[in-house]
Amino acid sequence: MNTKTAVMTGILGLAGVAHFSRPNLFDSIVPPRLGNPRFWTYASGIAELGCAGLLANPTTRRFGGVASAALMVGVFPANIYTVIKQWDNPKGRAIACARLPLQIPLVWASAAIAAEAD
């Protein structure tokens, strides 16, 4: 496993575990129109752990890269919602805005892993 894959696997694994160990943090960024935030917190945690597992296994790595890229794109609306929610809080807004461009290298790395997989 190369460094990029190891880092992406670790990020997804840690984030997935965090969804279960600190669900309130993630519940707070689920847009209300999606309904039960805890459902989405746990569902995205399962998806992250699943993607980490797919990336860790050489035989499923290509699919894991595609799935991880799709997941990173899929959770982007929650990051936008967080910016809107934190708009009147200068510190919260700055943190939320700083997170937005961080999705780009995560999508890129996931797609690159898929492209490089054997």
Side-chain angles (χ1 to χ4, degrees):
M1 178 182 308
N2 66 31
T3 302
K4 181 178 7 182
T5 304
V7 168
M8 196 67 198
T9 301
I11 288 169
L12 287 164
L14 290 172
V17 168
H19 278 72
F20 293 95
S21 64
R22 304 191 70 142
N24 291 337
L25 173 67
F26 296 94
D27 289 350
S28 70
I29 65 170
V30 174
R33 68 177 154 231
L34 293 180
N36 183 351
R38 187 57 52 95
F39 168 80
W40 293 107
T41 293
Y42 287 160
S44 59
I46 290 168
E48 287 173 335
L49 290 170
C51 286
L54 290 168
L55 290 174
N57 184 337
T59 60
T60 59
R61 190 163 293 148
R62 182 180 310 278
F63 179 67
V66 171
S68 297
L71 179 62
M72 294 301 115
V73 171
V75 300
F76 192 71
N79 293 339
I80 293 171
Y81 170 72
T82 304
V83 170
I84 294 166
K85 184 177 174 183
Q86 294 293 325
W87 196 255
D88 293 330
N89 173 357
K91 182 179 178 184
R93 180 178 63 228
I95 292 169
C97 285
R99 286 186 64 203
L100 290 176
L102 293 177
Q103 287 304 109
I104 295 167
L106 295 175
V107 172
W108 174 84
S110 297
I113 290 166
E116 296 164 0
D118 295 330

